[in-house]
Amino acid sequence: MFRGSSASVFLGVDVGIGSARAGIFDQKGKLLGSASSPMQIWKEKDCIEQSSTDIWHAVCAAVKSACSLANVAPEDVAGLGFTATCSLVAVDADGSPVSVSWSGDTRRNIIVWMDHRAVNQAERINASNSPVLQYCGGGVSPEMQAPKLLWVKENLQESWSMVCRWMDLSDWLAYRATGDDTRSLCTTVCKWTYLGHAHMEQWKESDSRDMEACGWDNVFWEEIGLGDIVEGNCAKIGRSVAFPGHPLGSGLTATAAKELGLLPGTPVGTPLIDAHAGGVGVMESIPDGEFKADLPDEEAICHRMVLVCGTSTCHMAVSKNKLFVPGVWGSFWSAMVPEFWLTEGGQSATGALLDYITENHVAAPLLSKRASSQSISIYELLNKMLLSMSHEKNSPFLSALTQDIHVLPDFHGNRRDRCIWIRSSRSNHTRCGRVDHARVGPLVSELRPLLGPAQPSPPPPPPLHQPAAATMFRGSSASVFLGVDVGTGSARAGIFDQKGKLLGSASSPMQIWKEKDCIEQSSTDIWHAVCAAVKSACSLANVAPEDVAGLGFTATCSLVAVDADGSPVSVSWSGDTRRNIIVWMDHRAVNQAERINASNSPVLQYCGGGVSPEMQAPKLLWVKENLQESWSMVCRWMDLSDWLAYRATGDDTRSLCTTVCKWTYLGHAHMEQWKESDSRDMEACGWDNVFWEEIGLGDLVEGNCAKIGRSVAFPGHPLGSGLTATAAKELGLLPGTPVGTPLIDAHAGGVGVMESIPDGEFKADLPDEEAICHRMVLVCGTSTCHMAVSKNKLFVPGVWGSFWSAMVPEFWLTEGGQSATGALLDYITENHVAAPLLSKRASSQSISIYELLNKMLLSMSHEKNSPFLSALTQDIHVLPDFHGNRSPMADPKSKGVIYGLTLDTSEKHLALLYLATIQGIAYGTRHIVEHCNAHGHKIDTLLACGGLAKNSIYIQEHANIVGCPIILPRENEPVLLGAAVLGAVAGKKFPGVRDAMKALNAAGKVVNPSSDPRVKKYHDAKYQIFRSLYEQQLSHRSTMAQALQ
């Protein structure tokens, strides 16, 4: 037990959004050691959730690690304090988690502070005009607890009835550590509308006792519909409170002490919110004999303000008297410094704004590279540049450099006023700084401008169905096919019948870690998500395990590292073994990609002339150069979809899709020897050993390339003996259920739609093998992939491929692409000043903002007597290369251009800009189609799938501009269907992928080009302007390069 006599250090624990941190300090406040441990978070639209169980595990790990680093024994710790974000925790009478999620997942029992599901509830509470609201700046924020509680009561009745304690996260941490339910004056006053000054006359900090919670305003809680929460002497939200630092209970319980690696009885102080802990950590950091040394301490502290500067900035000032400052939170009695009133100002975006301004500037990549080469941050580099510029310009002082530039920094509102619009000077372009409460912005991890009100939360899914125990797969009665798609944020599963009709689908979120250019995931976490999605999909479709004839996987082209036992090997700087996946969009290996491309190896002609940092060779080289211990431990490097199939079957065979498209494997090495109908694993004879040796990865091809794949197979080839007993149990399926060799997700989309041809139409007079070569699939979402196949190898400059058997077996694949399509429409729309009003109007009509814009365009065309809708944009032209040009120019340096901007900021202007952007994207597709046809393709029919394919104007404009009919699939989940095709082939329900595609693909609507010759003439003219915008950009780039030489 804790004795205290020899205890000499103090332990602080801070739980943020992404990690738990612990620090050990000596009796002079010197940091002796600190450590952190990451935590899981779920984000779905406005709902952001965490797990108290996961957080406690992270806290325990951080505490143990910090003690070890500081060389501190348990008996040395004199006391422990917790601080955390002001997130809301729900537990039952036993202290067990209660779900606050639509998903019903009991792990997810925390509504994170920045969650904005309760915007509507906050507005209704503020309409009450209760006197308590004056203490929180005149109104509650949706980030405070009362709106969140009201949301749960109105939406999750079962959870509401189960909760015994609603707690701020820091209070819950202290409760979990001590068993004492006393709440902090900091949390209750600042986030729960508790009137702490009710204790002012009766209690002082020196009394050091729990105080009966007499500061709850019961009338307020009853008025807002939460009267039941103050029943039983407010037991659910706190019947006793205490000053920060007041010792709780008898210190650490035996259980908590064991988990934390400390002694039972170690004192634990009443906690603080994290920002307020920052104030406590610095407010008395005053040099001796300076700064109001002539004033009494109680007066001197009132002359100070603490700036807790990070993503946002909190401005903390205290006073001995209550001071109401209009537009500033408070006064809060004893919420930070006991017996002082706290005034809490704030700027919602400071560090986040600097990140936004810096990272969204065209010069950022070059500066980041330069800073990295100097081992400094980009801000240190910018500071050096400013000093140099001041000297070069003979500026009287550094600040004078900005005499012509002025910034109002309210890009995330001004604490009280939630929306501010900024117009940049010297430009007709309106920059929108309006933001809603909680979205993350482009290239900023925790905060981004959001335009428009919160969308309604999805309805909760039904409970998961647990299939009954089964023996082995027989196949005789199996009648449905299961497809699994693992994206970046979630795993999805879909069940399809023998006509390709979707019977049911479900998804499950996954964890992701993002640190600068490093983006990582966990194969263990992904597998758990896959299992949850499969079980839920089977339940929704009312499908029993024996009904599933086959299973197929598709996934992003992320890189997985496992050891000889199949256990994860860390690919992270952190050393965290959970983080064994480098996500497809991770860009740590830019330098390695450039060096590989400098080799000019012949294999590079098959990937557009050079590898991307998103491909596997650069990532592998990065790991070898930076994580030697991990490199030596890895037994298998695998594409994620290959790993999923390996995890399910134990078969290490790789797919021709993944290896050819992302690993520089030369699939055509098998062309003469093998056909899909042979349906066997093929020895991997397509690795170019010379290439791997030249780039410094020769050790990967040792042992017959065992680490990267010694055998390959056509997509859909049955792997091993089907599901292993272990995998079957985890998935709720039968052992032996066939599993097909997988595909990359975009390629699965191609398989899911390419045979969606109406009967008797579209080249019906041609042989099948020729007819399919006249089609191109557009997989349109955040970006767009353009997939076309041919019987002969066709190299198209600036376009990836040709890839043999990478999508449709025994056909060559050409893969074009546009890096930002849906993302660009989001960017254009959400950053317009009119967006908030339009979003609100769309929400009131229960439609998306894009459906509303489409309606507006039709109305505007009628009002203006426009000859046709497209003619509305005759004065606006867009080059959509806002994220570079992937195809056909293969120019990552290309920039977006908007021609024709005026000072108009109206809703109609947004509608026109939206239409012009759609047209710019469509002209890009026309350019790709024409370029492919100029190099041997015969594309005359488009098939479209993905989110953008549901937008009627988007599809019609593409048909009019490209001049081709566009076929939409019957089913809305073509990627899942493509994965299910693989299962169907593996289950021997079809002899090959093409046969399965023909049976399971089905056409929906056909959108034909306009027959009006004026429409063609108009788009031909705009297309020429589109092409000239890029040519002019090249000229301007050359001019400026010469000017700066």
Side-chain angles (χ1 to χ4, degrees):
M1 286 292 291
F2 176 80
R3 293 288 181 268
S5 56
S6 64
S8 58
V9 300
F10 313 115
L11 172 59
V13 173
D14 171 37
V15 175
I17 300 171
S19 65
R21 301 182 304 143
I24 307 286
F25 296 83
D26 67 14
Q27 295 188 31
K28 292 186 177 181
K30 183 175 177 61
L31 180 65
L32 304 178
S34 65
S36 68
S37 181
M39 307 176 315
Q40 188 167 13
I41 192 165
W42 291 270
K43 297 182 181 181
E44 296 173 8
K45 295 186 178 178
D46 288 323
C47 297
I48 309 174
E49 295 149 357
Q50 286 182 307
S51 160
S52 62
T53 304
D54 178 62
I55 285 176
W56 184 252
H57 290 162
V59 165
C60 294
V63 167
K64 290 176 180 177
S65 185
C67 289
S68 174
L69 287 167
N71 196 26
V72 163
E75 58 270 20
D76 295 334
V77 179
L80 162 64
F82 290 101
T83 181
T85 63
C86 46
S87 300
L88 178 65
V89 185
V91 293
D92 64 16
D94 300 324
S96 299
V98 177
S99 176
V100 291
S101 172
W102 280 122
S103 69
D105 186 341
T106 54
R107 293 175 300 173
R108 295 155 73 164
N109 70 315
I110 296 179
I111 301 179
V112 176
W113 69 273
M114 61 183 175
D115 178 297
H116 271 242
R117 69 184 74 187
V119 171
N120 176 269
Q121 287 76 10
E123 291 172 350
R124 284 186 283 141
I125 290 171
N126 292 336
S128 72
N129 292 318
S130 169
V132 304
L133 299 179
Q134 67 180 313
Y135 290 92
C136 45
V140 295
S141 156
E143 294 171 4
M144 292 180 175
Q145 310 306 17
K148 292 174 179 171
L149 291 166
L150 187 56
W151 183 92
V152 176
K153 182 175 182 179
E154 293 176 348
N155 292 277
L156 301 175
Q157 274 292 332
E158 184 177 355
S159 290
W160 182 258
S161 65
M162 293 170 61
V163 176
C164 179
R165 289 182 178 86
W166 292 102
M167 310 184 79
D168 233 73
L169 177 53
S170 57
D171 285 323
W172 177 83
L173 289 165
Y175 166 67
R176 177 66 175 76
T178 66
D180 189 338
D181 188 23
T182 299
R183 312 301 171 91
S184 171
L185 277 173
C186 177
T187 59
T188 53
V189 169
C190 295
K191 303 301 172 184
W192 293 74
T193 72
Y194 187 80
L195 303 176
H197 51 282
H199 303 277
M200 225 171 99
E201 302 303 323
Q202 296 85 8
W203 298 95
K204 294 186 179 297
E205 181 188 16
S206 56
D207 297 325
S208 190
R209 281 179 283 174
D210 300 340
M211 303 175 287
E212 182 181 351
C214 59
W216 294 116
D217 186 324
N218 290 13
V219 173
F220 165 73
W221 290 97
E222 289 163 2
E223 283 180 346
I224 67 172
L226 292 174
D228 47 340
I229 214 160
V230 292
E231 294 172 358
N233 198 23
C234 304
K236 289 188 176 181
I237 56 174
R239 64 174 68 189
S240 63
V241 296
F243 292 101
H246 164 79
L248 293 170
S250 301
L252 287 180
T253 64
T255 300
K258 182 177 180 181
E259 293 167 334
L260 292 163
L262 300 174
L263 293 184
T266 301
V268 177
T270 302
L272 287 166
I273 297 168
D274 50 2
H276 302 66
V280 168
V282 300
M283 204 156 207
E284 289 289 357
S285 302
I286 303 297
D288 293 337
E290 299 181 42
F291 298 96
K292 310 295 179 183
D294 55 326
L295 295 178
D297 282 352
E298 287 205 344
E299 186 177 346
I301 196 174
C302 298
H303 285 256
R304 305 166 196 157
M305 175 176 275
V306 172
L307 309 185
V308 185
C309 330
T311 300
S312 59
T313 295
C314 290
H315 301 69
M316 308 287 200
V318 297
S319 59
K320 285 303 289 182
N321 301 313
K322 176 169 59 179
L323 299 174
F324 285 120
V325 182
V328 181
W329 287 351
S331 280
F332 299 139
W333 188 73
S334 291
M336 185 172 79
V337 180
E339 301 182 49
F340 281 78
W341 292 86
L342 171 67
T343 299
E344 183 182 347
Q347 292 167 288
S348 299
T350 48
L353 177 56
L354 290 175
D355 288 344
Y356 177 82
I357 294 294
T358 305
E359 294 175 0
N360 284 280
H361 194 281
V362 66
L366 183 59
L367 287 180
S368 294
K369 186 176 180 180
R370 191 184 308 164
S372 179
S373 70
Q374 298 177 31
S375 299
I376 59 175
S377 72
I378 192 172
Y379 297 113
E380 291 173 293
L381 178 61
L382 287 168
N383 290 349
K384 285 185 175 182
M385 290 172 61
L386 287 169
L387 292 170
S388 176
M389 290 164 63
S390 180
H391 176 73
E392 291 168 4
K393 294 190 175 186
N394 293 317
S395 178
F397 44 85
L398 186 141
S399 301
L401 289 170
T402 59
Q403 59 181 323
D404 296 321
I405 305 175
H406 311 279
V407 175
L408 181 66
D410 297 351
F411 280 55
H412 198 58
N414 182 295
R415 192 76 178 260
R416 283 285 296 149
D417 301 319
R418 285 193 214 130
C419 32
I420 297 290
W421 291 280
I422 312 288
R423 180 171 301 136
S424 57
S425 60
R426 300 187 180 181
S427 170
N428 287 339
H429 183 66
T430 299
R431 294 191 62 191
C432 180
R434 190 275 184 208
V435 291
D436 197 43
H437 307 285
R439 293 284 178 95
V440 290
L443 304 178
V444 181
S445 63
E446 297 298 343
L447 178 69
R448 101 170 175 194
L450 166 71
L451 298 121
Q455 298 297 315
S457 300
L464 293 181
H465 165 71
Q466 298 293 339
T471 53
M472 283 292 291
F473 174 81
R474 293 289 179 266
S476 56
S477 64
S479 57
V480 300
F481 313 118
L482 172 59
V484 173
D485 170 37
V486 174
T488 306
S490 66
R492 302 183 305 137
I495 307 287
F496 296 84
D497 67 15
Q498 296 190 35
K499 293 186 177 180
K501 184 172 178 60
L502 181 65
L503 304 178
S505 65
S507 68
S508 181
M510 307 177 317
Q511 188 170 9
I512 192 166
W513 291 270
K514 296 182 180 180
E515 296 171 8
K516 296 183 179 177
D517 287 328
C518 297
I519 308 174
E520 297 150 355
Q521 286 181 311
S522 159
S523 62
T524 303
D525 178 63
I526 286 175
W527 184 253
H528 289 162
V530 165
C531 295
V534 168
K535 290 175 181 177
S536 187
C538 289
S539 174
L540 286 167
N542 197 25
V543 163
E546 57 269 21
D547 295 333
V548 179
L551 161 64
F553 290 101
T554 182
T556 64
C557 45
S558 301
L559 177 66
V560 186
V562 293
D563 64 16
D565 299 323
S567 299
V569 176
S570 177
V571 291
S572 171
W573 281 120
S574 70
D576 186 340
T577 53
R578 292 176 299 174
R579 295 156 73 163
N580 70 316
I581 295 178
I582 301 180
V583 177
W584 67 274
M585 59 183 172
D586 180 296
H587 270 239
R588 69 184 73 186
V590 171
N591 175 268
Q592 285 76 11
E594 291 174 351
R595 284 187 279 135
I596 290 171
N597 291 335
S599 72
N600 293 317
S601 169
V603 304
L604 299 179
Q605 66 180 316
Y606 291 90
C607 45
V611 295
S612 155
E614 294 172 4
M615 291 181 176
Q616 310 306 14
K619 292 174 180 172
L620 291 164
L621 186 55
W622 183 93
V623 175
K624 182 175 183 179
E625 293 176 346
N626 291 277
L627 300 175
Q628 273 292 332
E629 185 177 355
S630 291
W631 182 259
S632 64
M633 292 170 62
V634 175
C635 178
R636 290 182 177 89
W637 292 102
M638 309 185 80
D639 233 73
L640 178 52
S641 58
D642 284 322
W643 178 84
L644 289 166
Y646 167 67
R647 178 64 175 77
T649 66
D651 188 337
D652 186 24
T653 298
R654 313 299 173 93
S655 171
L656 277 174
C657 176
T658 59
T659 52
V660 169
C661 294
K662 303 301 172 183
W663 294 72
T664 72
Y665 187 80
L666 303 177
H668 51 281
H670 303 278
M671 226 171 106
E672 302 303 322
Q673 296 86 8
W674 298 97
K675 295 186 180 296
E676 183 189 15
S677 55
D678 297 324
S679 190
R680 280 179 283 174
D681 300 341
M682 304 176 285
E683 183 181 351
C685 59
W687 295 116
D688 186 322
N689 291 12
V690 174
F691 165 73
W692 291 97
E693 289 163 2
E694 283 180 348
I695 67 172
L697 292 174
D699 45 341
L700 284 180
V701 293
E702 294 173 358
N704 199 22
C705 304
K707 289 188 176 182
I708 57 175
R710 64 174 67 190
S711 63
V712 295
F714 291 101
H717 164 79
L719 292 171
S721 301
L723 288 179
T724 63
T726 299
K729 182 178 180 182
E730 294 166 335
L731 293 163
L733 300 174
L734 294 186
T737 301
V739 177
T741 302
L743 286 165
I744 298 168
D745 50 3
H747 302 66
V751 167
V753 300
M754 203 158 210
E755 288 289 356
S756 301
I757 303 298
D759 293 337
E761 301 181 41
F762 298 97
K763 309 295 178 185
D765 56 324
L766 294 179
D768 281 353
E769 288 203 347
E770 187 176 345
I772 195 173
C773 299
H774 286 256
R775 305 167 198 158
M776 174 175 274
V777 173
L778 310 184
V779 185
C780 351
T782 302
S783 59
T784 295
C785 290
H786 301 68
M787 309 285 202
V789 297
S790 59
K791 285 302 289 181
N792 300 313
K793 177 169 61 178
L794 298 173
F795 285 119
V796 182
V799 180
W800 288 352
S802 277
F803 299 139
W804 188 73
S805 290
M807 186 172 79
V808 180
E810 300 182 51
F811 282 78
W812 292 85
L813 171 67
T814 297
E815 183 181 348
Q818 292 167 291
S819 299
T821 49
L824 178 57
L825 289 174
D826 288 345
Y827 175 82
I828 292 294
T829 305
E830 293 176 357
N831 284 282
H832 195 281
V833 66
L837 185 60
L838 285 181
S839 293
K840 188 174 182 180
R841 190 184 309 159
S843 180
S844 70
Q845 299 177 31
S846 299
I847 59 176
S848 72
I849 192 172
Y850 297 115
E851 290 173 294
L852 179 60
L853 287 168
N854 288 352
K855 284 185 176 183
M856 288 174 59
L857 288 169
L858 292 170
S859 176
M860 290 165 62
S861 181
H862 178 73
E863 290 169 6
K864 294 189 175 185
N865 292 316
S866 178
F868 43 87
L869 186 140
S870 303
L872 290 170
T873 60
Q874 61 180 317
D875 296 322
I876 306 177
H877 310 280
V878 174
L879 181 69
D881 296 352
F882 282 56
H883 199 56
N885 184 295
R886 177 176 160 192
S887 304
M889 306 316 299
D891 182 1
K893 295 181 180 179
S894 183
K895 302 295 182 290
V897 177
I898 302 176
Y899 176 90
L901 289 172
T902 70
L903 294 177
D904 187 358
T905 59
S906 67
E907 300 168 11
K908 290 183 177 180
H909 175 261
L910 172 54
L912 293 176
L913 191 55
Y914 158 72
L915 177 59
T917 304
I918 287 176
Q919 291 169 342
I921 293 168
Y923 296 132
T925 293
R926 174 172 170 175
H927 194 188
I928 292 170
V929 171
E930 289 183 353
H931 193 63
C932 288
N933 284 345
H935 289 84
H937 280 280
K938 302 173 183 178
I939 300 160
D940 56 25
T941 302
L942 302 181
L943 299 100
C945 64
L948 293 177
K950 301 170 187 176
N951 185 323
S952 58
I953 286 184
Y954 185 91
I955 293 300
Q956 187 63 64
E957 288 299 285
H958 272 71
N960 293 345
I961 287 167
V962 182
C964 296
I966 300 181
I967 305 169
L968 302 177
R970 180 190 64 195
E971 300 301 325
N972 287 327
E973 295 289 355
V975 175
L976 286 175
L977 178 58
V981 163
L982 304 174
V985 174
K988 304 299 184 183
K989 297 296 181 180
F990 301 96
V993 168
R994 281 287 312 281
D995 304 280
M997 289 167 62
K998 291 175 184 177
L1000 301 179
N1001 288 189
K1005 182 179 179 181
V1006 178
V1007 179
N1008 288 299
S1010 170
S1011 58
D1012 187 340
R1014 295 175 300 171
V1015 174
K1016 183 180 185 305
K1017 182 179 179 181
Y1018 174 83
H1019 284 305
D1020 285 346
K1022 285 202 74 171
Y1023 180 59
Q1024 293 307 312
I1025 294 171
F1026 164 84
R1027 294 289 298 271
S1028 72
L1029 290 176
Y1030 180 73
E1031 297 301 325
Q1032 289 173 29
Q1033 182 179 158
L1034 290 180
S1035 174
H1036 297 160
R1037 198 187 297 173
S1038 174
T1039 299
M1040 295 309 299
Q1042 292 174 19
L1044 294 171
Q1045 285 178 350

